[in-house]
Amino acid sequence: MSSSALKTFPGGLHPPDSKQATAGKPIELSPLPVELILPLSQHIGAPAEACVEVGEFVLKGQMIGRAKGFVSVPIHASTSGEVIAVEPRIHPSGRLLPSIVIKPDGEESWCELFPADPEKLTAAELIERILQAGIVGMGGATFPTHVKLSPPDDKPIDTLILNGVECEPFLTADHRLMLEAPKQILAGINILRKILQVEKTWIGIEANKPDAIALLQELCAGTGIEVVPLAVKYPQGAEKQLILALTGREVPSGSLPMEVGVVVQNVATAAAIATAVIEGKPLVDRVGTISGPLIKKPKNLRFHCGTPLQHLVDLCGGIEHPPAKILAGGPMMGQTQLTLEAPATRGTSGLLLFAKEDLPLRPQTPCIRCGRCVQVCPAGLLPTTIAAYVRLDLIEAAEQTSAMDCIECGCCSYSCPAAIPLVQSLRQAKGMILEKRRGA
Amino acid sequence: MSEPVYISSSPHIDSGATTSKIMRNVIYSLLPACAMAIYLFGLPGLRTLLLCTLGCMMFEALCNKLGGKPGTLSDGSAALTGILLALNLPPGSPWWLALLGAAIAIVIGKQIYGGLGYNPFNPALVARVVLLISFPVQMTIWAAPTPFSTGFDAVTAATPLGEWKTAVMLTGKLPENLSAGTLNYLTGNMPGSLGEVSALALLLGGLYLLVRKVITWHIPVSFIGTTLLLSGIFWLVDPTRYPDPLFHFLTGGLLLGAFFMATDMVTSPITTKGMLIFGIGCGVLTVLIRLFGGYPEGVSFAILLMNAVTPLIDRFVKPRVFGTMQEVKG
Ligand code: SF4
Ligand code: SF4
């Protein structure tokens, strides 16, 4: 498969994909852990507000945290059991954040569900169901889906894109989902099409998943949904890069995809939407890839939201040595975890464990101006220059050099021979610019 | 969990590229040229290579020591500078010239700016040009190649570029046998600096750098392409006075300069667009200096001049930021 013939975007690179360990492994169901930790913040936006008390018995799917504001979603009990604590617990972000702790009763008894026929619901009713089910972007961004589906009237949407790219190394959860639950995904896509009334629907998949491409192409025949193989290149799955590759439209700097009439949803989100609307079940579980060199039996697991990471590790054969690095998400954009006691949440697409010898630990050396960071940056930035501005505390200069356009993909740091933590500097620059703007 | 875990910013994997790997690869790519230099110029050539390389490493270590800085020998940049310097010197250079060159390259060309990454000019070229200006006689004694030579009493001769220039100045015409030497130019059987003579060895090394993705094509292709194009135009205008592009291509330091000196990352632009401008500038200056300047060879001066312009290029030539219609102003 020649990658030059496939659609793609400028910049980017080819990290080793490391997906062999789990790409062929069917999704397994994770049994219940002894305790579920459900942070009230499993999404971008305002945290939910707890609406249960310690000692209360809850049913699976019952709302336990109420959405607070428009950019927020409710949290649901991911199994039936007793609320044993409502207190700050370690969150995947590394902070202690308010969480609801449930001791499962092992029954998995659902609350009363209200299945529905999406055909008979209006767009507004569908969006309401999606909101009430707590659906968020499951590719890792965890942005509340109902917000993305409610663009202002002056931003007409004509294109829906389903993101099945999964360009992060190691991760295969979306790949497996496309192979094992394609109809669920399609049902979700149809709901999205009904809401958005788009003319064009694309499913973008990296060409390294020919089985998923073939299967979806077959199922989509005659539906008007176009399944497009994309060049294997990181970060092909980044929203703006994906839109450019498929539609040729470039989302303007500082704008959202709706500016060019596009809504992008992850394939796993589409599947969750179908479950929510048709079966009436909220988002209480998801599929994630448990892998990395330290994991003995790497797997794709469907786990309850709130499952402690340690439980997932145990299900994959445990580990012999304590990990030197614990990652939630992929190795390019994932977040390091302080401990395996932290829970996997709605946004956890993967859990990767590394031993010390797997880590690129080397001292930082001076920038040799090799230009590699510039050439790989998909945002068209000068990472080394912005990093230098940050070191000199020249925030205004960083802002003028478009630091805010950084998508934090990690390509620059990945390719830097001097081991300069460029992304860290870019993130710092963005933080300081935002702070300055708020202050101004 | 008793062991501490590493908390760090993403990404958590890297390409494995390191500065020392890059430098090592450039050194490997120069090995064919070094081998040819030793073959063609014998022991004096080997001596110059060793003196420059070891000299540069010694001065680098000394500077680190005096500056109280951690050792940087392992990054390979000092050794590389030494090799490049040697390849830019006349084969039979006296020992003091080689060592002086090493000192100038490392101390004045690199360390006073703060070491690797901060020097505006290519250190080896700084040394070459300072030596050329200070010791014009010693720097232009060109030994004719005498394979497997052991002696230091080699026959001297003019370089092809020098021969041409002298002829044109005296008679207003090209010397007769100029392009008869093409095959010799290709293999390096001509007088010249240690490393510039064998076009084949240099092309081989350049190809290696491109294949290993140590450098991109932008600088060598635009540099050489511009040189060929511009010298071709002059040649078409007056072939009795101006040598043909192939002569320009094969003689003098063009290949050494275009693949190994102009591509020095520290002293060339960071964007690909900037690299093209840089290469074109090098090419234009090389041809102008060769044809109209006081020295027969212009590659070193051309690169140094473009080194000086690099900050300006980087200031104005920027990649297009995603989602913007025009380039951001610096
Ligand atoms: S600067 Fe930002 S967008 Fe560019 S490569 Fe680095 S992380 Fe990616
Ligand atoms: S990749 Fe690293 S060494 Fe190269 S220019 Fe960028 S910051 Fe400098």
Side-chain angles (χ1 to χ4, degrees):
Chain A
M1 212 163 307
S2 119
S3 62
S4 57
L6 297 167
K7 292 184 169 184
T8 191
F9 64 97
L13 39 78
H14 302 91
D17 86 347
S18 312
K19 293 178 192 274
Q20 319 77 286
T22 52
K25 298 219 176 125
I27 298 165
E28 291 177 39
L29 288 183
S30 155
L32 277 168
V34 283
E35 144 178 315
L36 287 165
I37 304 154
L38 291 147
L40 287 160
S41 183
Q42 296 186 42
H43 50 267
I44 288 185
E49 195 175 32
C51 56
V52 288
E53 273 163 25
V54 177
E56 209 170 305
F57 182 80
V58 292
L59 288 164
K60 182 168 185 174
Q62 181 183 331
M63 184 168 79
I64 54 176
R66 216 177 274 119
K68 247 178 101 186
F70 181 56
V71 186
S72 179
V73 289
I75 303 291
H76 306 83
S78 37
T79 190
S80 54
E82 187 193 339
V83 176
I84 53 170
V86 179
E87 63 187 20
R89 286 286 183 105
I90 189 90
H91 183 266
S93 68
R95 287 177 297 165
L96 284 172
L97 290 180
S99 307
I100 296 170
V101 187
I102 295 175
K103 188 176 161 51
D105 64 357
E107 301 295 325
E108 298 266 33
S109 352
W110 279 93
C111 62
E112 194 182 352
L113 300 175
F114 300 95
D117 178 358
E119 293 299 319
K120 301 208 174 87
L121 298 177
T122 65
E125 286 167 335
L126 289 170
I127 293 178
E128 181 61 20
R129 277 195 160 238
I130 289 169
L131 160 64
Q132 290 310 330
I135 309 283
V136 295
M138 290 169 77
T142 67
F143 190 75
T145 299
H146 67 275
V147 182
K148 265 191 171 181
L149 297 178
S150 322
D153 289 338
D154 62 335
K155 302 268 185 267
I157 302 295
D158 64 3
T159 303
L160 169 66
I161 292 177
L162 275 298
N163 188 346
V165 175
E166 206 167 47
C167 56
E168 273 272 13
F170 288 100
L171 304 189
T172 56
D174 288 350
H175 183 190
R176 290 313 305 180
L177 198 70
M178 288 189 280
L179 288 178
E180 297 177 39
K183 297 214 170 112
Q184 189 80 358
I185 294 173
L186 285 187
I189 295 176
N190 283 329
I191 294 168
L192 288 167
R193 290 169 96 189
K194 180 160 185 198
I195 296 172
L196 296 167
Q197 295 295 324
V198 289
E199 287 151 29
K200 182 84 209 166
T201 304
W202 314 74
I203 306 179
I205 305 174
E206 259 189 358
N208 59 2
K209 301 180 249 302
D211 46 358
I213 294 169
L215 180 60
L216 284 169
Q217 263 168 351
E218 192 190 312
L219 290 172
C220 289
T223 60
I225 302 171
E226 197 176 332
V227 182
V228 186
L230 296 166
V232 181
K233 188 166 75 167
Y234 181 86
Q236 184 63 74
E239 205 164 59
K240 293 182 178 183
Q241 276 61 31
L242 179 61
I243 294 171
L244 178 69
L246 284 172
T247 68
R249 298 181 199 170
E250 196 169 308
V251 180
S253 159
S255 304
L256 295 171
M258 62 182 175
E259 199 66 41
V260 293
V262 181
V263 164
V264 182
Q265 292 291 347
N266 180 273
V267 285
T269 315
I273 287 174
T275 312
V277 172
I278 300 169
E279 299 171 46
K281 290 179 180 168
L283 179 51
V284 292
D285 60 17
R286 68 158 295 149
V287 182
T289 301
I290 321 303
S291 188
L294 257 190
I295 296 281
K296 281 200 214 136
K297 292 186 218 143
K299 283 179 184 173
N300 298 299
L301 284 177
R302 182 176 283 282
F303 55 82
H304 301 81
C305 295
T307 300
L309 300 177
Q310 180 69 55
H311 180 75
L312 299 175
V313 171
D314 293 341
L315 290 173
C316 294
I319 41 172
E320 266 157 34
H321 314 286
K325 197 176 247 183
I326 308 165
L327 278 188
M332 291 301 287
M333 293 187 75
Q335 210 169 16
T336 46
Q337 301 294 304
L338 285 166
T339 150
L340 286 171
E341 286 159 29
T345 64
R346 286 172 172 170
T348 309
S349 52
L351 167 63
L352 306 176
L353 296 194
F354 295 87
K356 195 165 171 191
E357 54 279 15
D358 307 316
L359 301 179
L361 300 170
R362 55 199 170 88
Q364 185 179 334
T365 50
C367 169
I368 53 166
R369 297 176 29 84
C370 68
R372 283 164 171 70
C373 55
V374 180
Q375 278 149 37
V376 295
C377 177
L381 307 184
L382 298 167
T384 177
T385 311
I386 300 176
Y389 287 148
V390 172
R391 272 194 296 279
L392 298 170
D393 215 18
L394 295 171
I395 298 313
E396 217 131 288
E399 187 171 7
Q400 276 158 14
T401 328
S402 306
M404 289 309 287
D405 286 283
C406 170
I407 57 169
E408 300 180 25
C409 65
C411 288
C412 49
S413 298
Y414 178 89
S415 22
C416 178
I420 298 171
L422 297 161
V423 188
Q424 200 175 325
S425 298
L426 262 299
R427 225 175 258 140
Q428 208 178 328
K430 286 167 78 174
M432 292 194 289
I433 292 167
L434 282 180
E435 204 165 297
K436 198 194 79 185
R437 285 186 188 170
R438 267 197 299 269
Chain B
M1 217 168 307
S2 49
E3 297 265 321
V5 287
Y6 286 87
I7 298 297
S8 66
S9 170
S10 59
H12 308 283
I13 49 176
D14 71 17
S15 62
T18 64
T19 301
S20 57
K21 268 190 214 162
I22 290 177
M23 298 296 165
R24 235 180 298 147
N25 265 317
V26 183
I27 292 176
Y28 296 156
S29 74
L30 284 167
L31 290 181
C34 290
M36 278 311 281
I38 295 167
Y39 165 72
L40 290 169
F41 299 107
L43 276 186
L46 180 64
R47 184 185 66 174
T48 305
L49 259 170
L50 286 179
L51 280 175
C52 287
T53 310
L54 297 177
C56 279
M57 293 169 73
M58 194 182 77
F59 287 114
E60 174 103 349
L62 203 69
C63 286
N64 285 334
K65 188 131 209 161
L66 291 179
K69 290 189 295 184
T72 49
L73 279 187
S74 61
D75 70 24
S77 64
L80 176 58
T81 298
I83 294 173
L84 284 172
L85 172 65
L87 296 180
N88 272 288
L89 292 183
S93 298
W95 62 268
W96 54 266
L97 194 72
L99 280 185
L100 187 63
I104 295 171
I106 294 298
V107 181
I108 299 177
K110 178 175 169 190
Q111 290 294 344
I112 53 167
Y113 297 105
L116 180 66
Y118 302 102
N119 49 302
F121 299 102
N122 185 315
L125 284 181
V126 170
R128 172 182 169 140
V129 165
V130 170
L131 291 179
L132 186 61
I133 295 166
S134 326
F135 305 97
V137 178
Q138 287 83 346
M139 282 297 285
T140 47
I141 299 179
W142 308 106
T146 34
F148 304 117
S149 132
T150 51
F152 294 85
D153 51 356
V155 188
T156 62
T159 65
L161 278 172
E163 197 183 335
W164 155 73
K165 189 130 211 167
T166 319
V168 169
M169 279 199 305
L170 294 178
T171 68
K173 280 200 184 344
L174 290 178
E176 307 224 315
N177 55 351
L178 201 60
S179 41
T182 303
L183 185 67
N184 286 340
Y185 301 155
L186 207 58
T187 54
N189 196 6
M190 61 179 164
S193 81
L194 251 191
E196 70 186 26
V197 293
S198 175
L200 274 184
L202 292 169
L203 282 172
L204 195 70
L207 202 67
Y208 174 83
L209 289 181
L210 287 171
V211 170
R212 297 300 304 264
K213 296 204 165 95
V214 177
I215 59 170
T216 59
W217 58 269
H218 302 82
I219 290 177
V221 168
S222 58
F223 189 166
I224 295 170
T226 306
T227 306
L228 293 182
L229 198 74
L230 196 60
S231 62
I233 294 172
F234 280 107
W235 176 62
L236 284 178
V237 168
D238 187 356
T240 62
R241 197 182 160 84
Y242 302 114
D244 60 277
L246 190 65
F247 176 79
H248 278 282
F249 181 67
L250 293 175
T251 63
L254 181 61
L255 292 173
L256 181 63
F259 280 106
F260 306 96
M261 317 280 290
T263 54
D264 171 26
M265 295 156 186
V266 176
T267 56
S268 60
I270 51 174
T271 63
T272 45
K273 256 186 282 175
M275 290 177 193
L276 290 176
I277 296 173
F278 181 90
I280 293 170
C282 285
V284 170
L285 289 170
T286 297
V287 174
L288 293 182
I289 297 171
R290 278 186 178 182
L291 297 185
F292 307 109
Y295 289 94
E297 175 52 310
V299 168
S300 308
F301 291 107
I303 297 174
L304 283 174
L305 283 169
M306 289 313 290
N307 285 164
V309 185
T310 292
L312 206 66
I313 297 178
D314 275 343
R315 195 175 155 78
F316 290 106
V317 182
K318 295 189 174 167
R320 190 178 67 85
V321 173
F322 190 100
T324 57
M325 285 311 142
Q326 70 263 337
E327 288 150 33
V328 276
K329 302 271 166 353

